[in-house]
Amino acid sequence: MKKISFLNLGKHPITNNFLKTNKPKNEFFYNLKLIYHKETKLVSLDNFVPPKKMFNDKYAHRASASITMQKAYRNLANKIKKKFKPKSILEIGSNDGVFIKYFSNINNVGVEPCKNLADLTSKMKIETYDKFWTFRLSNKILSKHGKFDIIYSANTISHIHNLNETFKAIENSLNSNGIFILEDPSLLKSLQKLSYDQFYDEHAYVFSITALKNITKQSGLEVFNIEELKTHGGSNRVYFKKISNKTIKISNTVNKHLLKEKNFGINNLQTYRIFAKKVLRSRKNLIKIFQKIKKEKKNIIGYGATYKSSTVLNFCKIDKKFIKYFLDTTPTKAGKFTPGTHIPIKRYNGIPSNVDYAFLGAWNFKDEIFKKEKKFIDRGGRFITHVPSPKIL
Ligand code: TMP
């Protein structure tokens, strides 16, 4: 399969590896290079990081850390119940149970390789397998729970390296009229918004509908509906059915999306070359903003020590010289240091009055944050963002 490299973002650490010290020994770095697969149109990292280095019992991300996400999962659970009336549901990547907990009255099973998270949902009496999703695991779950009406997976399939096995295992676990719902960041939106921070160790792939269609065919799955979401700066919710299931009609959202992607040039290497050029320019302009503010001796902090921000900070070499500390609401990140750039992270307790600028690490929650930080904005505080282009908001 022909792979073409189009952007080298340099050396990067494990984004989930929030450090206990600002002088770590032997911090792991890998080369973050982006690849376009000519045949399938998949976009992926060149070097995959070993899964156990990323997904382990120290995994920091809590899906329920954001109010926006909590609401989104509750609404989706209600929608699925109403629309599909499932008697069984499996979630791949159930995190802290933010979604699967709404299905306690039916056969609900979670798969979550990070044991600290799997323990949380097990305590909620949701049977949770603290294992990576494989064909073998799908058979094990099948022998105990049978096949499923719904399989749901948000922000997880793009993390799994062997997509062939992943989709085959999903097909294997679905009832003949079962539905698989995938949610992952949209490649089209990442390219349009120049959010190169969608690329980091965990995101082995950033999917287009075009590529998903190409790679799921051989597993017996077919896309039948697509919904565009605002989550993670622009995601797609993609509904699959078995190819053999002819009772479900294919919605015109599928062709519409394929056409939109084609018109943007998702199938064209030149699109990625242009993206790469723009990313290099974006880095230059972001550094300029930080340098200018620093010259004015103003205080800059970071807001939301997200995984995405790790790509920006390490790529642009923005470290303690520029950002004094990060504020973050996730308790497990507080008191630690950002991977690679070693910026201290403090527990969020409002933005202190001496802060002039806050770099929006969690730019995808801009609306939620702007509402919450009205006082900061009203007293002249400003946010810095790099999406879609570096600027002070
Ligand atoms: P995510 O983008 O990977 O979901 O991570 C969001 C991170 O940002 C998480 O650590 C919580 C943090 N955060 C804040 O600190 N304050 C906020 O208002 C929001 C929305 C997120």
Side-chain angles (χ1 to χ4, degrees), residues 61 232 303-304 306 308 327-330 333 362 364-365 368-369 372:
H61 176 72
H232 293 287
Y303 196 103
T306 56
K308 283 200 278 293
L327 291 178
D328 197 289
T329 50
T330 306
K333 291 182 188 175
N364 46 313
F365 293 111
E368 181 178 334
I369 293 169
K372 200 160 62 179

Side-chain angles (χ1 to χ4, degrees), residues 14 43 57 66 80 99 128 138 142 170 187 194 227 232 245 252 257 264 268 304 324 355:
I14 303 283
V43 168
D57 60 1
S66 139
I80 289 176
F99 170 78
T128 310
S138 78
L142 213 86
I170 288 168
L187 179 66
L194 212 63
E227 287 164 7
H232 293 287
N245 177 358
N252 58 7
H257 271 260
F264 185 79
N268 188 346
K324 279 195 156 170
V355 172

Side-chain angles (χ1 to χ4, degrees), residues 364-378:
N364 46 313
F365 293 111
K366 184 174 151 245
D367 294 347
E368 181 178 334
I369 293 169
F370 271 49
K371 241 188 241 163
K372 200 160 62 179
E373 304 303 345
K374 198 173 168 317
K375 244 168 93 183
F376 169 69
I377 297 167
D378 285 350

Side-chain angles (χ1 to χ4, degrees), residues 130-152:
D130 57 357
K131 298 262 181 302
F132 287 101
W133 177 249
T134 58
F135 203 84
R136 210 167 144 195
L137 180 67
S138 78
N139 274 335
K140 189 176 164 186
I141 295 176
L142 213 86
S143 65
K144 184 159 177 204
H145 302 272
K147 298 205 179 213
F148 292 89
D149 291 338
I150 300 275
I151 299 180
Y152 176 69

